[in-house]
Amino acid sequence: MNNDLNSLVSNESDEQKVTPFEVEKISNYNKVITQFGCTPFSNDGNDPLFERFEKLTGVKMPSCYRHFLISHREFGEILNAYEKEKPIYLYTGRGPSSENMHLGHMIPFKFCKFLQDALNAPLVIQITDDEKYIFKDLTMDKIAKMAKENIKDIIACGFNVNKTFVFLNSQSMGMMYPMIIKIQKLVTLKDVLNTFGFPLDGKDTTLGKVAFPPVQAAPAFAETFIKHFLTKNGQFTEKDVRKIKCLVPCAIDQDPYFRMCRGISNQLEHSKPALIHFSFLPSLNGVDTKMSSSTPQSCIFLTDTVSQIRKKINKCFSGGKELLEEHKLLGGNTNNDVSFQLLKFFMDNDEKLKELEYGFNKGEITCSQMKGIAIEKITEHIERFKENRAKVDEDIYSQFTDVNKTLFFCYFFVL
Ligand code: TRP
């Protein structure tokens, strides 16, 4: 495998370590993006690629996504493929390590739903129950229950049932194994240790951990789904299926898996997966840590009641001054105001956001006013989610997770 995979774990400074298995603190995304070798989006939300996306698809890229998309790998290639009517599909996933999903988990899924509609593309969603069994102290029984609840939450994001396939790893090894062994044959132990930051001498670096990366990597190659992806004429040939392009929307910490894929794509004679990366939703406790289910006070869960949401946001970290008089005089700082940072996602209105930012930083908008707006917007969002979630019954669940599911590429394309 390519040497460029070496030493790409972002742990150069002690205060910031980013691997798929531990994200303690992210205070500087630019540093991670540079270290990982990704291409940053311009940070004013107006990257030319977004304009090109809009021109090609005729769909506006909502500002809530523009604010959270930080970088990519060859997103332009996906747009090229779309322009030429070549087949593309989307791949994302979820590790079921908690029964309740929180707002931060929903962002990539909501974005996938948006992309699925805009690009009219099939989407595959991997549920890594195996990963959570290997990496956490949980039983398979417990994980199975969480996975089921999580899958229902994911379905409630509104995916098109004819274009979406959700699969549980422990039940899909037959489908993935041919691709997994191809990856395992090419990637060395040294590559995996370097790319994923597993300690070399660690007694905790088990076989399960080092064998897992090819499992998450496999679905980024369309060949995995040769029996599931269909054209109007039926199954793709092996040669043709390898030309299908994959776009992986994911949080930046998941990049190493796909960097690994891209490093071996040529040897596999398979198109390289493209990526589009999200930053994390900030913790209620402060903007330089992320919302994390392991710290329940840091997040708003999709099951939280209106009064829980109100209480949590009223307590969240504020970028305003402690005393009202002082705030009015000196102004606050929206950069570390959690309510404002959350509103960047939940209020899709750039002008209003600008007004809030200006007003808060001048001291004209108070902390409690900012919190009040955040409470209103987030409550609306969660209530809408709950309505959709209540409609996800067993029948819908089995339609999304049918192991024999087929997904059609609907336009006629030139390979
Ligand atoms: N490992 C991811 C998690 O713990 C789940 C996952 C599997 C994933 N495949 C993916 C995430 C592809 C993004 C893209 O949540």
Side-chain angles (χ1 to χ4, degrees):
M1 195 159 85
N2 294 354
N3 299 337
D4 68 350
L5 291 179
N6 291 346
S7 306
L8 279 170
V9 177
S10 171
N11 61 353
E12 165 210 81
S13 73
D14 336 299
E15 78 255 10
Q16 181 168 297
K17 180 167 183 188
V18 181
T19 80
F21 315 106
E22 52 186 326
V23 184
E24 281 148 22
K25 215 171 178 184
I26 288 211
S27 39
N28 188 342
Y29 281 104
N30 288 337
K31 215 163 159 183
V32 183
I33 293 169
T34 317
Q35 269 174 295
F36 280 4
C38 311
T39 312
F41 283 120
S42 66
N43 58 12
D44 59 0
N46 288 322
D47 198 277
L49 281 171
F50 296 146
E51 267 163 51
R52 186 158 173 238
F53 172 90
E54 292 182 353
K55 228 160 105 198
L56 287 172
T57 62
V59 182
K60 199 180 161 305
M61 175 75 77
S63 57
C64 60
Y65 301 128
R66 291 168 183 255
H67 291 307
F68 283 86
L69 290 170
I70 47 172
S71 60
H72 68 99
R73 290 183 190 267
E74 289 188 334
F75 181 50
E77 285 293 316
I78 294 294
L79 299 180
N80 291 345
Y82 180 82
E83 186 170 31
K84 295 188 191 134
E85 304 209 324
K86 294 192 175 187
I88 47 187
Y89 74 106
L90 306 167
Y91 162 42
T92 195
R94 154 93 189 144
S97 57
S98 67
E99 195 149 333
N100 291 335
M101 287 173 66
H102 60 64
L103 283 178
H105 293 137
M106 292 327 275
I107 294 184
F109 289 108
K110 288 193 78 81
F111 181 63
C112 282
K113 149 78 181 150
F114 165 78
L115 277 186
Q116 173 176 66
D117 292 346
L119 300 171
N120 198 4
L123 162 69
V124 295
I125 302 178
Q126 178 180 57
I127 307 297
T128 56
D129 53 349
D130 52 347
E131 175 193 10
K132 295 305 158 188
Y133 180 71
I134 290 166
F135 285 87
K136 305 243 163 177
D137 187 18
L138 292 165
T139 63
M140 265 324 248
D141 270 356
K142 182 100 212 307
I143 295 170
K145 288 196 187 91
M146 301 194 285
K148 185 143 197 192
E149 292 310 305
N150 288 182
I151 292 172
K152 289 184 171 178
D153 286 344
I154 292 167
I155 293 172
C157 288
F159 295 111
N160 178 341
V161 67
N162 297 317
K163 292 198 151 285
T164 312
F165 176 35
V166 185
F167 59 96
L168 207 57
N169 280 353
S170 62
Q171 291 171 15
S172 310
M173 277 302 139
M175 171 183 82
M176 286 190 286
Y177 204 56
M179 195 69 228
I180 291 173
I181 55 173
K182 286 190 180 186
I183 301 171
Q184 287 179 341
K185 188 166 175 167
L186 295 174
V187 180
T188 66
L189 178 62
K190 187 163 169 259
D191 291 330
V192 170
L193 295 175
N194 279 325
T195 308
F196 293 89
F198 295 129
L200 279 155
D201 55 353
K203 62 177 176 10
D204 290 339
T205 305
T206 61
L207 291 182
K209 288 183 183 175
V210 293
F212 176 73
V215 179
Q216 181 157 333
F221 295 114
E223 202 180 327
T224 303
F225 303 103
I226 189 155
K227 299 213 175 88
H228 301 257
F229 286 169
L230 298 182
T231 74
K232 285 187 179 145
N233 309 323
Q235 222 164 289
F236 285 87
T237 64
E238 256 186 49
K239 194 160 164 259
D240 286 347
V241 85
R242 294 198 198 116
K243 293 182 190 157
I244 301 179
K245 279 222 140 275
C246 177
L247 173 64
V248 188
C250 62
I252 185 78
D253 65 323
Q254 302 294 309
D255 180 74
Y257 292 102
F258 308 109
R259 192 193 308 143
M260 181 179 93
C261 290
R262 291 168 56 85
I264 56 174
S265 295
N266 287 346
Q267 282 161 283
L268 291 170
E269 295 177 359
H270 203 300
S271 69
K272 272 188 186 171
L275 284 110
I276 184 157
H277 300 115
F278 279 94
S279 57
F280 294 104
L281 205 60
S283 152
L284 294 177
N285 301 328
V287 294
D288 60 359
T289 49
K290 61 170 189 144
M291 258 191 204
S292 162
S293 321
S294 50
T295 319
Q297 320 84 280
S298 76
C299 25
I300 294 173
F301 292 103
L302 300 172
T303 46
D304 280 350
T305 62
V306 178
S307 81
Q308 279 170 319
I309 298 171
R310 190 180 318 114
K311 269 193 212 132
K312 284 184 181 179
I313 296 183
N314 276 331
K315 271 206 276 182
C316 81
F317 189 87
S318 165
K321 299 284 180 301
E322 221 161 282
L323 300 171
L324 185 60
E325 289 313 306
E326 207 188 346
H327 183 80
K328 282 189 168 164
L329 206 65
L330 302 169
N333 180 0
T334 42
N335 290 336
N336 55 28
D337 187 72
V338 172
S339 310
F340 179 77
Q341 294 302 324
L342 292 176
L343 280 170
K344 277 177 149 178
F345 190 80
F346 295 101
M347 190 163 83
D348 194 28
N349 181 336
D350 272 352
E351 254 162 57
K352 270 256 167 69
L353 269 178
K354 279 214 182 84
E355 279 170 30
L356 283 179
E357 185 174 26
Y358 182 80
F360 188 80
N361 292 337
K362 267 193 96 183
E364 285 162 5
I365 289 171
T366 65
C367 306
S368 64
Q369 279 170 328
M370 187 71 95
K371 287 183 173 182
I373 301 168
I375 291 167
E376 183 193 316
K377 292 287 167 197
I378 291 173
T379 308
E380 260 172 43
H381 194 90
I382 299 240
E383 291 303 292
R384 214 174 316 128
F385 173 82
K386 284 183 182 164
E387 278 169 32
N388 292 338
R389 177 63 160 85
K391 292 184 205 142
V392 182
D393 57 20
E394 287 303 309
D395 182 42
I396 296 176
Y397 177 89
S398 12
Q399 289 177 39
F400 276 95
T401 55
D402 176 1
V403 290
N404 296 314
K405 180 142 191 158
T406 50
L407 301 165
F408 279 91
F409 284 79
C410 78
Y411 44 80
F412 239 107
F413 42 77
V414 208
L415 275 159

